[in-house]
């Protein structure tokens, strides 16, 4: 499915559970795609838990850009995609999330799109080596419960537990969360069912 935004088309890949209880909308990081191992594992676990899952390739990636550009423009495009998804799946609670930059978008737009909760995978707390440039305000400002799943070896840092409804730190994992993606999926699936 293609959704037109001011930044060009975004692409949505849908996987539907039978009689879904909620809609989980996921997106990628700034230079990755929706086929990242952790996103696929979350999709698989969420489907088993009764969620319909939309994986969104944002317009900047469809256009071939490796960086998202302005946060305001990225958020505007995201909100248009979510409005379209809500139209197609009316009445379902929405949990939105993503990995890295996608987690930041999900936090920044949660209230605007009426999300019930946010899943933040590999939330990039700060640029590598620059802890003084914290992005914790984005977590705290989500306005809804946020699940953060980070690796303890993530060079982008690990948020503080008090900045999220739930923080899960996986030992031995880096920013890509690819050592044990099935575990990431399990953690997310166990958490999202409370918002159905």
């Amino acid at each position: 499915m293609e959704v037109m935004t001011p930044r060009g088309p975004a692409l949505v890949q849908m996987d539907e559970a039978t009689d879904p209880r909620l809609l989980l909308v996921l997106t990628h990081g700034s230079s990755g795609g929706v086929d990242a191992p952790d996103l696929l594992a979350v999709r698989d676990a969420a489907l088993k838990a009764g969620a319909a899952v939309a994986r969104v390739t944002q317009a900047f990636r469809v256009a071939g850009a490796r960086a998202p550009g302005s946060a305001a423009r990225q958020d505007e495009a995201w909100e248009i995609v979510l409005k379209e998804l809500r139209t197609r799946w009316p009445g379902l609670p929405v949990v939105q999330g993503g990995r890295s930059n996608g987690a930041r978008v999900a936090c920044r737009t949660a209230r605007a799109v009426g999300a019930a909760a946010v899943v933040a995978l590999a939330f990039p707390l700060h640029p590598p080596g620059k802890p003084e440039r914290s992005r914790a305000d984005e977590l705290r400002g989500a306005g809804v419960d946020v699940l953060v799943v980070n690796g303890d070896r993530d060079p982008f840092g690990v948020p503080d537990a008090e900045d999220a409804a739930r923080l899960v730190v996986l030992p031995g994992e880096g920013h890509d969360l690819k050592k044990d993606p099935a575990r990431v999926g399990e953690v997310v699936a166990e958490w999202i069912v409370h918002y159905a």
Side-chain angles (χ1 to χ4, degrees):
M1 180 172 92
E2 191 175 277
V3 179
M4 189 53 66
T5 78
R7 301 195 65 187
L11 299 179
V12 180
Q13 293 173 256
M14 277 304 306
D15 292 284
E16 292 192 60
T18 306
D19 194 24
R21 300 167 25 187
L22 66 90
L23 174 61
L24 175 62
V25 185
L26 299 169
T27 194
H28 50 78
S30 60
S31 63
V34 294
D35 292 329
D38 56 343
L39 292 178
L40 293 177
V42 168
R43 175 202 62 190
D44 294 347
L47 286 168
K48 289 177 187 169
V53 182
R55 288 177 297 134
V56 178
T57 302
Q58 295 178 63
F60 78 90
R61 291 292 293 146
V62 174
R66 289 192 54 83
S70 134
R73 291 183 65 207
Q74 186 181 22
D75 294 354
E76 176 190 26
W78 182 257
E79 289 173 24
I80 289 167
V81 172
L82 265 289
K83 183 177 180 183
E84 177 65 24
L85 289 173
R86 281 190 166 282
T87 300
R88 291 179 183 246
W89 285 272
L92 284 184
V94 172
V95 175
Q96 67 175 12
R99 63 167 289 100
S100 194
N101 175 266
R104 296 180 65 197
V105 174
C107 287
R108 290 193 308 255
T109 61
R111 274 193 280 219
V113 303
V118 167
V119 173
L121 306 175
F123 186 86
L125 182 63
H126 56 71
K130 298 182 180 179
E132 71 281 0
R133 292 180 52 196
S134 174
R135 299 170 179 137
D137 285 348
E138 290 179 351
L139 282 173
R140 291 190 289 261
V144 299
D145 289 347
V146 180
L147 165 68
V148 176
V149 183
N150 271 58
D152 67 351
R153 296 182 180 176
D154 193 329
F156 289 85
V158 177
D160 292 330
E162 60 267 18
D163 290 334
R166 180 160 187 233
L167 171 66
V168 177
V169 181
L170 301 175
E173 289 280 10
H175 191 63
D176 53 17
L177 295 174
K178 69 179 185 179
K179 185 176 176 187
D180 187 4
R183 179 67 186 129
V184 177
E186 289 167 10
V187 169
V188 172
E190 289 167 6
W191 193 72
I192 63 171
V193 295
H194 300 292
Y195 299 91

